[in-house]
Coordinates of all heavy atoms in Angstrom, one line a residue:
M24 N -10.3 -10.0 3.8 CA -9.6 -10.9 2.9 C -8.2 -10.3 2.7 O -8.0 -9.2 2.2 CB -10.3 -11.1 1.6 CG -9.5 -11.8 0.5 SD -9.7 -13.6 0.4 CE -11.4 -13.9 0.3
N25 N -7.1 -11.1 3.1 CA -5.8 -10.6 2.9 C -5.3 -11.0 1.4 O -5.1 -12.2 1.1 CB -4.9 -11.3 3.9 CG -3.4 -11.0 3.7 OD1 -3.0 -10.3 2.8 ND2 -2.5 -11.6 4.5
L26 N -5.2 -10.0 0.6 CA -4.9 -10.3 -0.8 C -3.5 -10.9 -1.0 O -3.2 -11.5 -2.1 CB -5.1 -9.0 -1.6 CG -6.5 -8.5 -1.7 CD1 -6.6 -7.2 -2.5 CD2 -7.5 -9.5 -2.3
D27 N -2.6 -10.7 -0.1 CA -1.3 -11.2 -0.2 C -1.1 -12.6 0.3 O -0.1 -13.3 0.1 CB -0.3 -10.3 0.6 CG -0.2 -8.9 0.0 OD1 -0.3 -8.8 -1.3 OD2 0.1 -8.0 0.7
K28 N -2.2 -13.2 0.9 CA -2.1 -14.6 1.4 C -2.0 -15.5 0.2 O -2.8 -15.5 -0.7 CB -3.3 -14.9 2.2 CG -3.3 -16.2 2.8 CD -4.4 -16.4 3.8 CE -4.5 -17.8 4.3 NZ -5.6 -18.6 3.5
V29 N -1.0 -16.5 0.3 CA -0.9 -17.5 -0.7 C -1.9 -18.6 -0.5 O -2.0 -19.1 0.6 CB 0.5 -18.1 -0.7 CG1 0.7 -19.3 -1.6 CG2 1.6 -17.0 -1.1
V30 N -2.7 -18.9 -1.6 CA -3.7 -19.9 -1.5 C -3.1 -21.2 -2.1 O -3.3 -22.3 -1.5 CB -4.9 -19.5 -2.3 CG1 -6.0 -20.6 -2.2 CG2 -5.5 -18.2 -1.8
C31 N -2.4 -21.1 -3.2 CA -1.8 -22.3 -3.8 C -0.3 -22.2 -3.6 O 0.4 -21.4 -4.2 CB -2.2 -22.3 -5.3 SG -1.4 -23.6 -6.2
N32 N 0.2 -23.1 -2.7 CA 1.6 -23.1 -2.4 C 2.5 -23.6 -3.6 O 3.6 -23.1 -3.7 CB 1.9 -23.9 -1.2 CG 1.4 -23.2 0.1 OD1 1.7 -22.0 0.3 ND2 0.6 -23.9 0.9
C33 N 2.0 -24.5 -4.4 CA 2.8 -25.0 -5.5 C 3.2 -23.9 -6.4 O 4.3 -23.9 -6.9 CB 2.0 -26.1 -6.2 SG 1.8 -27.6 -5.3
L34 N 2.3 -23.0 -6.7 CA 2.6 -22.0 -7.7 C 2.5 -20.6 -7.1 O 2.6 -19.6 -7.9 CB 1.5 -22.1 -8.9 CG 1.7 -23.4 -9.7 CD1 0.5 -23.6 -10.6 CD2 3.0 -23.4 -10.4
N35 N 2.5 -20.5 -5.8 CA 2.5 -19.1 -5.1 C 1.4 -18.2 -5.6 O 1.7 -17.0 -5.9 CB 3.9 -18.5 -5.3 CG 4.9 -18.9 -4.3 OD1 4.5 -19.1 -3.1 ND2 6.1 -19.2 -4.8
V36 N 0.2 -18.8 -5.8 CA -0.9 -18.0 -6.2 C -1.6 -17.4 -5.0 O -2.0 -18.1 -4.1 CB -1.9 -18.8 -7.1 CG1 -3.1 -18.0 -7.5 CG2 -1.2 -19.4 -8.3
T37 N -1.8 -16.1 -5.0 CA -2.4 -15.4 -3.8 C -3.9 -15.1 -4.1 O -4.4 -15.2 -5.2 CB -1.7 -14.0 -3.6 OG1 -1.9 -13.2 -4.8 CG2 -0.2 -14.2 -3.4
N38 N -4.5 -14.7 -3.0 CA -5.9 -14.3 -3.1 C -6.0 -13.2 -4.1 O -7.0 -13.1 -4.9 CB -6.4 -13.8 -1.7 CG -6.8 -14.9 -0.7 OD1 -7.2 -15.9 -1.1 ND2 -6.6 -14.6 0.6
G39 N -5.1 -12.2 -4.1 CA -5.1 -11.1 -5.0 C -5.0 -11.5 -6.4 O -5.7 -11.0 -7.3
M40 N -4.2 -12.6 -6.7 CA -4.1 -13.1 -8.1 C -5.4 -13.7 -8.6 O -5.8 -13.6 -9.7 CB -2.9 -14.0 -8.2 CG -1.6 -13.3 -8.1 SD -0.2 -14.4 -7.7 CE -0.1 -15.3 -9.3
I41 N -6.1 -14.4 -7.6 CA -7.4 -15.0 -8.0 C -8.4 -13.8 -8.2 O -9.2 -13.9 -9.2 CB -7.9 -15.9 -6.9 CG1 -6.9 -17.1 -6.8 CG2 -9.3 -16.4 -7.1 CD1 -7.1 -18.1 -5.7
K42 N -8.4 -12.8 -7.4 CA -9.2 -11.7 -7.5 C -9.0 -11.0 -8.9 O -10.0 -10.7 -9.6 CB -9.0 -10.6 -6.5 CG -9.9 -9.4 -6.6 CD -9.6 -8.4 -5.5 CE -10.7 -7.3 -5.4 NZ -10.9 -6.6 -6.7
D43 N -7.8 -10.8 -9.3 CA -7.4 -10.3 -10.6 C -8.0 -11.1 -11.7 O -8.6 -10.6 -12.7 CB -5.9 -10.1 -10.8 CG -5.3 -9.0 -9.9 OD1 -6.1 -8.2 -9.4 OD2 -4.1 -9.0 -9.8
A44 N -7.9 -12.4 -11.6 CA -8.5 -13.3 -12.6 C -10.0 -13.2 -12.7 O -10.5 -13.1 -13.8 CB -8.1 -14.8 -12.3
V45 N -10.6 -13.1 -11.6 CA -12.1 -12.9 -11.6 C -12.5 -11.6 -12.1 O -13.4 -11.5 -13.0 CB -12.7 -13.1 -10.1 CG1 -14.1 -12.7 -10.1 CG2 -12.5 -14.6 -9.7
D46 N -11.7 -10.5 -11.8 CA -12.0 -9.2 -12.3 C -11.8 -9.2 -13.8 O -12.4 -8.4 -14.5 CB -11.1 -8.2 -11.6 CG -11.6 -7.9 -10.2 OD1 -12.7 -8.2 -9.8 OD2 -10.8 -7.2 -9.4
A47 N -10.9 -10.0 -14.3 CA -10.6 -10.1 -15.7 C -11.6 -10.9 -16.5 O -11.5 -11.2 -17.7 CB -9.2 -10.6 -16.0
G48 N -12.6 -11.5 -15.7 CA -13.7 -12.2 -16.4 C -13.9 -13.7 -16.1 O -14.8 -14.3 -16.5
A49 N -12.9 -14.3 -15.3 CA -13.1 -15.7 -14.9 C -14.2 -15.8 -13.9 O -14.3 -15.0 -13.0 CB -11.8 -16.2 -14.4
S50 N -15.0 -16.8 -14.1 CA -16.2 -17.0 -13.1 C -16.2 -18.4 -12.5 O -16.9 -18.6 -11.5 CB -17.5 -16.8 -13.8 OG -17.6 -15.5 -14.4
T51 N -15.4 -19.3 -13.0 CA -15.4 -20.6 -12.5 C -14.0 -21.0 -12.1 O -13.0 -20.4 -12.5 CB -15.8 -21.6 -13.6 OG1 -14.9 -21.6 -14.7 CG2 -17.2 -21.3 -14.1
L52 N -13.9 -22.1 -11.3 CA -12.6 -22.7 -10.9 C -11.7 -22.9 -12.1 O -10.6 -22.6 -12.1 CB -12.8 -23.9 -10.1 CG -11.6 -24.7 -9.7 CD1 -10.7 -23.9 -8.7 CD2 -12.0 -26.0 -9.0
E53 N -12.3 -23.5 -13.1 CA -11.6 -23.9 -14.3 C -11.0 -22.7 -15.0 O -9.8 -22.7 -15.4 CB -12.5 -24.7 -15.3 CG -12.8 -26.1 -14.9 CD -13.9 -26.1 -13.8 OE1 -14.6 -25.1 -13.6 OE2 -13.9 -27.1 -13.1
E54 N -11.8 -21.6 -15.1 CA -11.3 -20.4 -15.8 C -10.1 -19.7 -15.0 O -9.2 -19.2 -15.5 CB -12.4 -19.4 -16.0 CG -13.3 -19.9 -17.1 CD -14.7 -19.1 -17.2 OE1 -14.9 -18.3 -16.3 OE2 -15.5 -19.4 -18.1
V55 N -10.3 -19.8 -13.6 CA -9.2 -19.2 -12.8 C -8.0 -20.1 -12.9 O -6.8 -19.6 -12.9 CB -9.7 -19.1 -11.3 CG1 -8.5 -18.8 -10.4 CG2 -10.8 -18.0 -11.2
Q56 N -8.1 -21.4 -13.0 CA -7.0 -22.3 -13.2 C -6.3 -22.0 -14.5 O -5.0 -22.0 -14.5 CB -7.5 -23.8 -13.2 CG -7.8 -24.2 -11.8 CD -8.3 -25.7 -11.8 OE1 -9.1 -26.1 -12.6 NE2 -7.6 -26.5 -11.0
E57 N -7.0 -21.7 -15.6 CA -6.4 -21.4 -16.8 C -5.5 -20.1 -16.7 O -4.5 -20.0 -17.3 CB -7.5 -21.1 -17.9 CG -7.8 -22.3 -18.7 CD -9.0 -22.1 -19.7 OE1 -9.0 -21.0 -20.3 OE2 -9.8 -23.0 -19.7
K58 N -6.1 -19.1 -16.0 CA -5.4 -17.8 -15.9 C -4.2 -17.8 -14.9 O -3.2 -17.1 -15.1 CB -6.4 -16.7 -15.5 CG -7.3 -16.3 -16.6 CD -8.2 -15.1 -16.2 CE -9.4 -14.9 -17.1 NZ -9.0 -14.4 -18.4
T59 N -4.4 -18.6 -13.8 CA -3.4 -18.5 -12.7 C -2.6 -19.8 -12.5 O -1.5 -19.7 -11.9 CB -4.1 -18.2 -11.4 OG1 -4.9 -19.3 -11.0 CG2 -4.9 -16.9 -11.5
G60 N -3.1 -20.9 -13.0 CA -2.5 -22.2 -12.7 C -2.8 -22.7 -11.3 O -2.4 -23.8 -11.0
A61 N -3.5 -21.9 -10.5 CA -3.8 -22.4 -9.1 C -4.5 -23.7 -9.1 O -5.5 -24.0 -9.9 CB -4.8 -21.3 -8.5
G62 N -4.0 -24.6 -8.3 CA -4.6 -25.9 -8.2 C -4.3 -26.9 -9.3 O -4.9 -28.0 -9.3
T63 N -3.4 -26.6 -10.1 CA -3.1 -27.5 -11.2 C -1.9 -28.4 -11.0 O -1.5 -29.2 -11.9 CB -2.8 -26.7 -12.6 OG1 -1.7 -25.9 -12.4 CG2 -4.1 -25.9 -12.9
V64 N -1.3 -28.3 -9.8 CA -0.1 -29.2 -9.6 C -0.5 -30.3 -8.6 O -0.7 -31.4 -9.1 CB 1.1 -28.4 -9.0 CG1 2.3 -29.3 -8.8 CG2 1.4 -27.2 -10.0
C65 N -0.6 -30.1 -7.3 CA -0.9 -31.2 -6.4 C -2.4 -31.3 -6.1 O -2.9 -32.3 -5.7 CB -0.1 -31.1 -5.1 SG -0.8 -29.8 -4.0
G66 N -3.1 -30.2 -6.3 CA -4.6 -30.2 -6.1 C -5.0 -30.0 -4.6 O -6.2 -30.0 -4.3
A67 N -4.0 -29.9 -3.7 CA -4.4 -29.8 -2.3 C -5.2 -28.5 -1.9 O -5.9 -28.5 -1.0 CB -3.1 -29.9 -1.4
C68 N -5.0 -27.5 -2.8 CA -5.6 -26.2 -2.5 C -6.9 -26.0 -3.2 O -7.6 -25.0 -3.0 CB -4.6 -25.1 -3.0 SG -4.4 -25.3 -4.8
L69 N -7.4 -27.0 -3.9 CA -8.6 -26.8 -4.8 C -9.8 -26.3 -4.0 O -10.5 -25.4 -4.5 CB -8.9 -28.1 -5.5 CG -8.1 -28.4 -6.7 CD1 -8.5 -29.8 -7.3 CD2 -8.3 -27.3 -7.8
E70 N -10.1 -26.9 -2.8 CA -11.3 -26.4 -2.1 C -11.2 -25.0 -1.7 O -12.1 -24.2 -1.9 CB -11.4 -27.3 -0.8 CG -12.6 -28.2 -0.9 CD -12.6 -29.1 0.4 OE1 -12.8 -28.5 1.5 OE2 -12.6 -30.3 0.3
E71 N -10.0 -24.6 -1.3 CA -9.7 -23.2 -0.9 C -9.8 -22.3 -2.1 O -10.4 -21.2 -2.0 CB -8.4 -23.1 -0.2 CG -8.0 -21.7 0.3 CD -8.9 -21.2 1.4 OE1 -9.8 -21.9 1.9 OE2 -8.7 -20.0 1.8
V72 N -9.2 -22.7 -3.2 CA -9.3 -21.9 -4.4 C -10.7 -21.7 -4.9 O -11.2 -20.6 -5.1 CB -8.5 -22.5 -5.6 CG1 -8.7 -21.7 -6.9 CG2 -7.0 -22.6 -5.3
Q73 N -11.5 -22.7 -4.8 CA -12.9 -22.6 -5.2 C -13.7 -21.6 -4.3 O -14.5 -20.8 -4.7 CB -13.6 -24.0 -5.1 CG -15.1 -24.0 -5.4 CD -15.4 -23.8 -6.9 OE1 -15.2 -24.8 -7.6 NE2 -15.9 -22.7 -7.2
R74 N -13.3 -21.7 -3.0 CA -14.0 -20.8 -2.0 C -13.7 -19.4 -2.3 O -14.5 -18.5 -2.3 CB -13.5 -21.2 -0.6 CG -14.5 -20.9 0.5 CD -13.9 -21.3 1.9 NE -12.6 -20.6 2.2 CZ -12.5 -19.3 2.6 NH1 -13.6 -18.6 2.8 NH2 -11.4 -18.8 2.8
V75 N -12.4 -19.1 -2.7 CA -11.9 -17.7 -2.9 C -12.6 -17.3 -4.3 O -13.0 -16.1 -4.4 CB -10.4 -17.7 -3.0 CG1 -9.9 -16.3 -3.4 CG2 -9.8 -18.0 -1.6
V76 N -12.6 -18.1 -5.3 CA -13.3 -17.8 -6.5 C -14.7 -17.4 -6.3 O -15.1 -16.3 -6.7 CB -13.2 -19.0 -7.5 CG1 -14.1 -18.6 -8.8 CG2 -11.8 -19.2 -8.0
D77 N -15.4 -18.2 -5.5 CA -16.8 -17.9 -5.3 C -17.0 -16.6 -4.5 O -17.9 -15.8 -4.8 CB -17.5 -19.0 -4.4 CG -17.6 -20.3 -5.2 OD1 -17.5 -20.3 -6.4 OD2 -17.9 -21.4 -4.5
F78 N -16.1 -16.3 -3.6 CA -16.1 -15.1 -2.9 C -16.0 -13.8 -3.8 O -16.8 -12.9 -3.7 CB -15.0 -15.0 -1.8 CG -14.9 -13.8 -1.0 CD1 -15.6 -13.6 0.1 CD2 -14.1 -12.7 -1.5 CE1 -15.5 -12.4 0.8 CE2 -14.0 -11.5 -0.8 CZ -14.7 -11.4 0.4
F79 N -15.0 -13.9 -4.7 CA -14.8 -12.7 -5.6 C -15.8 -12.6 -6.7 O -16.2 -11.5 -7.1 CB -13.4 -12.7 -6.1 CG -12.3 -12.4 -5.1 CD1 -11.3 -13.2 -4.8 CD2 -12.4 -11.2 -4.4 CE1 -10.3 -12.9 -3.9 CE2 -11.5 -10.9 -3.4 CZ -10.4 -11.7 -3.2
V80 N -16.4 -13.8 -7.1 CA -17.5 -13.7 -8.1 C -18.7 -13.0 -7.5 O -19.3 -12.1 -8.1 CB -17.8 -15.1 -8.6 CG1 -19.1 -15.1 -9.4 CG2 -16.7 -15.7 -9.5
K81 N -19.0 -13.4 -6.2 CA -20.1 -12.8 -5.6 C -19.9 -11.3 -5.4 O -20.8 -10.4 -5.6 CB -20.3 -13.4 -4.1 CG -21.2 -14.6 -4.1 CD -22.0 -14.6 -2.8 CE -22.9 -15.8 -2.8 NZ -22.1 -17.0 -2.6
E82 N -18.7 -10.9 -5.0 CA -18.3 -9.5 -4.8 C -18.4 -8.7 -6.1 O -18.8 -7.5 -6.1 CB -16.9 -9.4 -4.3 CG -16.5 -8.1 -3.6 CD -15.1 -8.1 -3.2 OE1 -14.2 -8.2 -4.0 OE2 -14.9 -8.0 -2.0
R83 N -18.1 -9.3 -7.2 CA -18.2 -8.7 -8.5 C -19.6 -8.4 -9.0 O -19.8 -7.4 -9.7 CB -17.4 -9.6 -9.5 CG -17.2 -8.9 -10.9 CD -16.5 -9.9 -11.8 NE -17.4 -11.0 -12.1 CZ -17.1 -12.2 -12.8 NH1 -15.9 -12.3 -13.2 NH2 -18.0 -13.1 -13.0
E84 N -20.5 -9.3 -8.6 CA -21.9 -9.2 -9.1 C -22.6 -7.9 -8.6 O -22.3 -7.4 -7.6 CB -22.7 -10.4 -8.6 CG -22.5 -11.6 -9.5 CD -22.9 -12.9 -8.9 OE1 -23.5 -12.9 -7.8 OE2 -22.7 -13.9 -9.5
Ligands
FES121 S1 -1.1 -26.2 -3.5 FE1 -2.1 -25.6 -5.2 S2 -1.7 -27.2 -6.7 FE2 -0.5 -27.7 -4.9

């Protein structure tokens, strides 16, 4: 996983920023959206954001 890769182009949210949000306690798409804003503008990235959230939540467990 490339942590510098941008997942949400609208807000320049990277894989690493999603990882930080998950490490800080976010476990769902909604919680990551609150912390990062990812997926809250056009919504085109939502599926990918969800995939990345699930990946890091699993890794955290
Ligand atoms: S690309 Fe993420 S909200 Fe637009």
Side-chain angles (χ1 to χ4, degrees):
M24 171 89 55
N25 175 1
L26 294 180
D27 292 329
K28 181 172 172 262
V29 172
V30 182
C31 176
N32 286 309
C33 288
L34 293 170
N35 278 321
V36 178
T37 61
N38 282 329
M40 288 161 73
I41 295 174
K42 179 180 193 303
D43 287 345
V45 170
D46 286 346
S50 300
T51 63
L52 174 64
E53 288 74 20
E54 286 165 358
V55 168
Q56 285 181 308
E57 265 173 47
K58 286 186 194 291
T59 67
T63 60
V64 182
C65 76
C68 61
L69 278 177
E70 252 178 57
E71 180 68 3
V72 173
Q73 178 73 71
R74 208 179 61 76
V75 176
V76 170
D77 290 347
F78 176 88
F79 287 124
V80 168
K81 270 217 180 71
E82 197 182 64
R83 191 184 62 189
E84 280 165 3

